Amino acid sequence: MSNISKEDYLSTIYKHRDKDGKIKSNLIAERLDISGAAVTDMLNKLSKSGFVYYRKYKDIKLTKDGENYARNMVRRHRIWEVFLQQVVGVPWDKVHDEAENLEHSSSDDLINRLEEMLNFPEFDPHGEPIPDKNGKLPGQKKGIQLSSVQPGSKVKVIRVNDFDSSFLNYITKIGIELNTVIEVKDILEFDNSMLISVDGNKTNISNKLAANIFVLRENN
């Protein structure tokens, strides 16, 4: 718990807030795998520091300073992920944890140099957009969760959540990566798990797993 920094909190809020820029404290706790009490304690500190708007039992929102700080941390993290995968050859299910360590000790100048060396990448290895040094995000088609796709549909993977390396490791083993085409064969009424086909290989995945994979319908 003590290893989770304010940067981790701000990045989590930035990445998982809703379209109105708000997030609930229980989602922060879930994403960081910590207690609600620990989240409340940190939110009070971040509020006093001017990084978040926070009142008990209300949704949380980043202030302008919090937004700028969080976006810069996300930018650092995602550029390091690209570097680790493309230059060092680290698999996509390992780059998140490595980038987590590197992002905290990097200067903005180093990040800008890395970005230039990598030819200004727009997306990280998991399909997440990378803010440029002015904070601008690249255009991106809005995907839907695989868990919402109906049987008989073919979809293409455009993004996956990267917060859990065991999740990434598992989907890699069953052949899912960016741009993979998935055919949804059936949905089990009992638990909403899915029978899918990847490159002709059928497998069952849970609803929770499917909810962390974002796709576009093949005719998009």
Side-chain angles (χ1 to χ4, degrees):
M1 189 180 299
S2 59
N3 292 330
I4 299 177
S5 65
K6 75 175 183 182
E7 288 88 356
D8 294 323
Y9 278 88
L10 293 171
S11 295
T12 297
I13 295 169
Y14 178 88
K15 291 189 289 186
H16 299 293
R17 58 193 174 168
D18 63 21
K19 58 182 176 58
D20 297 317
K22 298 177 181 179
I23 189 172
K24 296 186 184 298
S25 60
N26 63 331
L27 181 55
I28 299 173
E30 179 187 324
R31 290 305 191 201
L32 293 175
D33 193 23
I34 52 175
S35 69
V39 171
T40 298
D41 183 53
M42 179 58 86
L43 288 174
N44 280 318
K45 291 176 182 176
L46 291 173
S47 179
K48 288 176 184 175
S49 301
F51 288 115
V52 300
Y53 297 111
Y54 170 65
R55 283 190 303 158
K56 202 170 183 182
Y57 306 123
K58 301 289 185 182
D59 290 347
I60 300 101
K61 193 170 185 178
L62 293 170
T63 63
K64 186 176 180 181
D65 284 346
E67 175 91 16
N68 291 336
Y69 195 100
R71 184 173 56 234
N72 188 44
M73 292 308 301
V74 167
R75 166 177 161 76
R76 291 178 178 204
H77 183 95
R78 292 176 179 169
I79 287 175
W80 270 121
E81 286 194 336
V82 175
F83 176 84
L84 288 166
Q85 187 191 47
Q86 291 188 5
V87 179
V88 185
V90 178
W92 80 330
D93 56 315
K94 301 288 193 303
V95 293
H96 177 76
D97 290 341
E98 295 293 347
E100 192 77 21
N101 297 322
L102 291 163
E103 70 185 55
H104 299 292
S105 56
S106 308
S107 68
D108 288 339
D109 184 56
L110 174 60
I111 294 300
N112 292 339
R113 287 172 182 268
L114 282 175
E115 180 186 43
E116 184 177 359
M117 187 191 85
L118 294 165
N119 197 26
F120 302 95
E122 294 189 326
F123 300 95
D124 76 6
H126 310 107
E128 297 282 8
I130 301 173
D132 68 16
K133 64 183 179 181
N134 299 313
K136 185 179 179 183
L137 287 168
Q140 183 182 36
K141 289 185 176 180
K142 187 171 175 59
I144 58 172
Q145 291 172 302
L146 177 59
S147 55
S148 69
V149 176
Q150 296 303 305
S153 301
K154 278 190 177 181
V155 293
K156 181 169 71 174
V157 178
I158 60 164
R159 179 169 65 87
V160 299
N161 280 334
D162 65 355
F163 64 93
D164 190 324
S165 58
S166 61
F167 158 71
L168 290 168
N169 182 259
Y170 177 73
I171 64 173
T172 301
K173 283 181 178 176
I174 62 174
I176 294 176
E177 55 187 32
L178 294 188
N179 299 315
T180 295
V181 174
I182 297 172
E183 184 176 0
V184 178
K185 294 290 191 179
D186 197 12
I187 298 176
L188 223 66
E189 190 175 339
F190 171 68
D191 59 359
N192 287 323
S193 61
M194 296 182 127
L195 175 65
I196 63 170
S197 176
V198 180
D199 289 331
N201 298 314
K202 293 181 182 178
T203 187
N204 281 291
I205 60 171
S206 69
N207 179 265
K208 182 179 179 181
L209 190 147
N212 285 288
I213 300 171
F214 297 84
V215 298
L216 285 176
R217 289 190 169 82
E218 267 289 77
N219 57 358
N220 281 18

